Amino acid sequence: MVRSNGLARAALRFRPAAFAGTFVALMMAALIVSACGILLETGIRASVPPERYAGAPVVVAADQSAHYVTGSGDGRSEESVPLPDRARLDNSLVAKAASAPGARTAVADLTFPVQRDGKATDAHNWGSTAFTGDALTAGRAPRSGELVTSGARVGARVTLTTPEGERTYRVSGTTGTTGTVWLADSDALRTSGHPGRIDAIAVLPKPGVSADTLDTQVTHALSGAKAAHVHTGDDRGAVEDSSLAQAREMLMGVGGSFGGIATMVAVFTAAGTVALSVGQRAREYALLRAIGTTPRQVRRAIATETLLIAPAAAVLGCLPGVALAHWWFGQLQSKGAIPEAVGLSVSYIPFLAAVGTALLTALLSGYMAARRPSRIKPGQALSEASAERLRFGWIRTPLGIAAAVGGAVCAVLAANLSGEDAANTALGVVMLFMLAVALLGPLVARACAALFGLPLRGGGASASLAAANSRSNARRLASAITPIVLAMAFSSVLVFLHTSEDRATADQQKAGITADHIVSADAGLAPGAVDRAGHTPGVTAAVGLQRTSVLVASSGSLQPVSTQAVTGTAHDLARVQDLKVTHGALDLSSPDKVALDASLADSADVGVGDRFTFRLPDGTKVSPKVTATYARGLGLAQVTLPRAALAGHVTDPYDTELWTKGGTTEALTAFGTPLARADYTAARSLDRELNAWANTTMAAVLGGFAAIAAVNTLVMTVLDRRRELGTLRLIGSTRTQVLRMIRWEALLVAGAGIALGTAIALATLIPMTKGLTGEAPYIPPVLYGAFAGSALVLGLAATGIPAKWALRRAL
């Protein structure tokens, strides 16, 4: 009786080349899964140690997320999205927090920007020194109309530009902390720009009261205030560093969303490689069946081979996976997307997931591939293995057809939508078409061989033989085409989506910016600066802009949308910006008025005269009336509203840009740094640098993985054909003719993969960019040529080099 374990060990010993490709594919799958898993875990566990609140064991702050509920009952779901700006608490909650039995005192905390001698600095309320530890070096604590600072003598007068205008204060004391001012609590509360609202409440315990006990007591004391959340431990760091929430969302998005797509691609590719490895040994299984090996023994042998290869491949793949995660995390951190205090979290969980994914992929794909050779009758085994027969699988074929139909339906649906709805629907197009290609691989390969093989039939003996080989070996051809399709489709979608958005943005900015001068003020424009600029000689129109984001419900979730808040009149805005109004007219006379980008209005199903509900940067829900829709929101801003609409809802209340019609650079220098139109558009482009880098990196990871998988598969197929190549040499074919045949086959595989990948990418990009930009996708010819050329070079190299090696050993 044949022992399955012995069969598996013998196969590995005598046919190592047949398993090398499987090993590489499973190792690459583990690399992707482990790297994305590490980033996902880091996003879940990310925290920063408290600094400002280190001396306060319990901190109360408002919920810094907006919650969006859809459905009801069992179908109810809730999504949380980080707010663009800080949400604040009512000052009356300080007394409630102080009423907790274990609380010695509760202190309001306020931090807001002010300008001193034209430079931005932070202002705090003096009461916050109770937990920060800042102490006086001279003088006394401030009273109303006074401040404490450094670099000034007691009794001197200091003028500050506050959110409420210019104020002159007397210096009552000094500290050793530079670059900060402290106001009396009443003054800070009044001039912060959000009167009556505070950033947080620091609760200090009585002697002997632990942080956990105080946490429970304060939570009970504030039970009626739904907006108040109590924080202890490292959670206090998230209260003072609002960028942590965005960093966690980005890490979970990269590790979760992209990781899910990458994992699926890796699993499909690895499964195809395992199936190819099993299929290449059809003659061996046929002989085993012919000498009496049972179906169970064949299946056990394949399972044992998997158990011998998959764990080792997965463990080795985890090592470069850690390196990839470290590099990816470091790049995000260096670009400012992740706070420096956040560290990469590495535990056993991502590695366990990677090993489990590789093992399950190998077992399931090996089992599926082994069904036919293990179940066939011994008498038919050798005849079945002698020639490939194209069969219609009763499971794969219907599923593949359903995926193809679903992709076509989604493409048509996305073409009729706009904005984020079109983009989200279009993402399903690429996934469904890729699933269809994977499931219908042999059928697709046979069709590609028939179509692309037509010109080869008249191209000489080598080309004609390459076409015939491709038609008769559809499964082998499918295994080689699928990774190339993956690389072209995913890389093209990710990269050309960004180039399309960049092109549309640049075109809209070029047409929409009509201002003669744009003045950038990093510290912010002082209150009244726009009026003064409007009276500057030569200036015929001046407006101030503050750029931020608001949250809009779209596609069943809340999405941040670019927003400009305008200080000035609609007439002056129209002089410096051509938004290309399509319906209605701009009206900035009231906080109850708003203008929207046309695609955003279509996505939200609102028009001129309707109420548009969205959330301001601090999460406050508002419903102003739509007065106009316009076409250049991508290049300028998707939401335009009066500056008064943001009063009290943003941390930094100062306009940061001054747009003027007329005037001179010298005269406007007093307000900030004047920029030429070209310089401004370049600076705005830097804001999209992170997204561009993220898309390019994802394309490189997916494209690189698919390219390696394609090379791996092509090398496997060529090395498996040593007997075939030797036979061709025996019947009189020259070495040059055989190599030329291999090259023609490589060109057919690469050409088919490029064409299919391009078609899938276009089916995804056209509706996606139409919805996001209103234009067709922009595909730079040089960049596309680089993608296609790389696929051709890889195909030729991955077949030519092993073919030369195989020919030397074929006879």
Side-chain angles (χ1 to χ4, degrees):
M1 183 178 66
V2 181
R3 296 184 60 187
S4 301
N5 293 347
L7 284 175
R9 289 194 296 271
L12 288 172
R13 187 183 309 115
F14 295 108
R15 292 285 303 272
F19 297 97
T22 301
F23 189 92
V24 171
L26 294 175
M27 186 178 71
M28 293 297 297
L31 184 155
I32 293 288
V33 174
S34 59
C36 293
I38 290 171
L39 293 178
L40 176 61
E41 183 182 17
T42 301
I44 295 172
R45 297 174 179 266
S47 63
V48 294
E51 295 181 2
R52 179 170 177 78
Y53 296 131
V58 172
V59 176
V60 183
D63 186 2
Q64 300 303 313
S65 297
H67 302 276
Y68 186 69
V69 179
T70 57
S72 60
D74 294 338
R76 184 181 186 273
S77 63
E78 180 177 320
E79 180 192 26
S80 297
V81 179
L83 294 172
D85 209 319
R86 176 181 287 276
R88 293 178 170 80
L89 298 170
D90 191 272
N91 189 46
S92 62
L93 295 180
V94 177
K96 287 187 177 182
S99 67
R104 172 168 55 87
T105 185
V107 182
D109 183 39
L110 272 169
T111 300
F112 57 96
V114 297
Q115 297 174 14
R116 178 181 177 184
D117 299 329
K119 297 180 180 180
T121 187
D122 286 335
H124 304 288
N125 60 310
W126 179 253
S128 63
T129 58
F131 59 85
T132 62
D134 293 290
L136 290 167
T137 55
R140 56 172 174 78
R143 299 170 183 166
S144 181
E146 297 178 337
L147 61 78
V148 169
T149 187
S150 62
R153 60 179 180 81
V154 175
R157 297 283 177 174
V158 173
T159 299
L160 300 179
T161 300
T162 74
E164 297 301 314
E166 284 195 355
R167 300 284 188 275
T168 300
Y169 298 90
R170 177 183 176 275
V171 178
S172 67
T174 60
T175 70
T177 305
T178 59
T180 305
V181 298
W182 285 266
L183 303 179
D185 288 6
S186 58
D187 285 351
L189 195 63
R190 184 175 59 255
T191 62
S192 61
H194 36 83
R197 311 286 289 178
I198 57 176
D199 295 349
I201 303 170
V203 185
L204 306 182
K206 292 178 180 178
V209 178
S210 67
D212 290 339
T213 300
L214 185 59
D215 178 5
T216 303
Q217 294 174 347
V218 172
T219 300
H220 179 72
L222 296 174
S223 58
K226 294 182 180 180
H229 287 223
V230 182
H231 303 268
T232 59
D234 282 351
D235 284 348
R236 296 170 295 166
V239 175
E240 63 184 74
D241 190 350
S242 60
S243 64
L244 179 63
Q246 281 82 7
R248 295 182 64 178
E249 185 179 34
M250 171 171 284
L251 287 170
M252 288 190 287
V254 172
S257 300
F258 172 72
I261 296 174
T263 299
M264 188 168 67
V265 172
V267 167
F268 268 120
T269 306
T273 306
V274 173
L276 176 63
S277 176
V278 174
Q280 286 178 341
R281 288 175 287 148
R283 290 187 181 89
E284 297 175 15
Y285 296 128
L287 285 170
L288 290 173
R289 292 291 288 127
I291 64 174
T293 306
T294 65
R296 182 182 179 188
Q297 288 174 325
V298 173
R299 289 194 298 268
R300 285 188 60 186
I302 294 174
T304 304
E305 293 168 2
T306 299
L307 292 174
L308 292 174
I309 294 175
V315 170
L316 285 179
C318 289
L319 298 178
V322 175
L324 176 60
H326 270 283
W327 175 84
W328 207 331
F329 182 83
Q331 289 294 309
L332 290 172
Q333 204 164 49
S334 66
K335 295 178 184 301
I338 301 173
E340 289 293 330
V342 176
L344 191 68
S345 298
V346 181
S347 74
Y348 70 92
I349 298 176
F351 305 136
L352 189 63
V355 173
T357 300
L359 187 59
L360 287 175
T361 299
L363 283 172
L364 291 176
S365 55
Y367 173 78
M368 295 299 294
R371 288 181 65 209
R372 180 66 187 173
S374 67
R375 295 171 60 183
I376 193 172
K377 294 179 180 181
Q380 298 176 339
L382 290 174
S383 62
E384 288 281 340
S386 62
E388 180 182 286
R389 295 185 182 181
L390 188 62
R391 297 181 182 85
F392 293 91
W394 293 107
I395 298 176
R396 289 177 53 137
T397 303
L399 288 177
I401 293 173
V405 172
V409 171
C410 284
V412 174
L413 180 62
N416 295 319
L417 297 175
S418 60
E420 292 293 334
D421 292 334
N424 293 334
T425 305
L427 286 175
V429 175
V430 66
M431 300 305 301
L432 287 170
F433 278 134
M434 284 309 312
L435 183 61
V437 169
L439 292 173
L440 301 175
L443 297 175
V444 172
R446 179 67 65 90
C448 289
L451 178 63
F452 292 97
L454 286 175
L456 297 182
R457 296 177 188 176
S462 298
S464 179
L465 187 57
N469 273 337
S470 300
R471 288 196 307 273
S472 60
N473 292 280
R475 294 185 185 277
R476 183 175 69 194
L477 185 66
S479 298
I481 289 176
T482 301
I484 297 177
V485 176
L486 285 170
M488 283 297 299
F490 278 112
S491 298
S492 297
V493 169
L494 288 171
V495 173
F496 297 142
L497 173 62
H498 176 69
T499 60
S500 300
E501 287 185 323
D502 264 3
R503 178 68 170 262
T505 299
D507 289 345
Q508 289 187 18
Q509 287 182 347
K510 183 177 180 180
I513 298 177
T514 57
D516 294 324
H517 300 281
I518 300 174
V519 180
S520 174
D522 292 337
L525 297 173
V530 175
D531 289 337
R532 294 197 300 273
H535 290 89
T536 301
V539 174
T540 58
V543 297
L545 297 182
Q546 183 184 38
R547 299 203 173 272
T548 183
S549 296
V550 298
L551 296 177
V552 175
S554 176
S555 301
S557 63
L558 290 175
Q559 303 286 342
V561 171
S562 61
T563 301
Q564 59 179 5
V566 183
T567 300
T569 66
H571 177 265
D572 286 346
L573 178 65
R575 298 283 309 277
V576 297
Q577 281 187 3
D578 181 5
L579 290 167
K580 196 177 180 180
V581 175
T582 55
H583 295 92
L586 290 173
D587 186 351
L588 303 174
S589 61
S590 165
D592 194 43
K593 307 288 180 64
V594 68
L596 304 177
D597 177 70
S599 64
L600 177 62
D602 290 342
S603 179
D605 194 24
V606 295
V608 174
D610 295 333
R611 292 283 177 177
F612 176 57
T613 301
F614 60 94
R615 298 171 190 260
L616 293 173
D618 67 346
T620 302
K621 188 180 290 188
V622 295
S623 299
K625 181 182 292 186
V626 178
T627 63
T629 60
Y630 50 86
R632 292 184 176 136
L634 186 63
L636 297 169
Q638 292 176 278
V639 175
T640 299
L641 40 75
R643 179 64 186 80
L646 294 186
H649 300 287
V650 289
T651 298
D652 192 342
Y654 308 107
D655 294 336
T656 55
E657 297 174 6
L658 174 66
W659 293 45
T660 68
K661 194 71 175 176
T664 63
T665 300
E666 292 76 13
L668 295 172
T669 302
F671 299 99
T673 305
L675 299 175
R677 184 182 305 176
D679 295 334
Y680 176 78
T681 54
R684 288 289 308 278
S685 298
L686 295 177
D687 296 337
R688 299 188 301 277
E689 180 182 352
L690 182 61
N691 288 334
W693 178 87
N695 278 358
T696 303
T697 302
M698 292 177 188
V701 171
L702 278 179
F705 172 79
I708 292 174
V711 170
N712 183 38
T713 303
L714 290 170
V715 170
M716 286 178 64
T717 55
V718 172
L719 293 180
D720 188 60
R721 298 170 62 188
R722 282 179 293 178
R723 184 181 289 106
E724 174 191 333
L725 299 180
T727 302
L728 289 173
R729 294 283 285 121
L730 284 173
I731 63 176
S733 298
T734 66
R735 179 185 175 88
T736 301
Q737 288 174 325
V738 174
L739 289 176
R740 189 179 296 126
M741 177 197 73
I742 294 292
R743 293 192 191 99
W744 280 117
E745 289 181 4
L747 289 174
L748 189 150
V749 168
I754 292 168
L756 283 173
T758 302
I760 292 173
L762 287 175
T764 306
L765 284 169
I766 289 174
M768 184 181 283
T769 58
K770 189 68 175 177
L772 291 174
T773 69
E775 300 177 6
Y778 171 64
I779 301 176
V782 174
L783 193 54
Y784 177 79
F787 283 0
S790 298
L792 286 172
V793 170
L794 283 175
L796 290 170
T799 53
I801 295 173
K804 292 179 180 179
W805 181 89
L807 280 173
R808 288 198 297 267
R809 291 162 175 78
L811 298 177

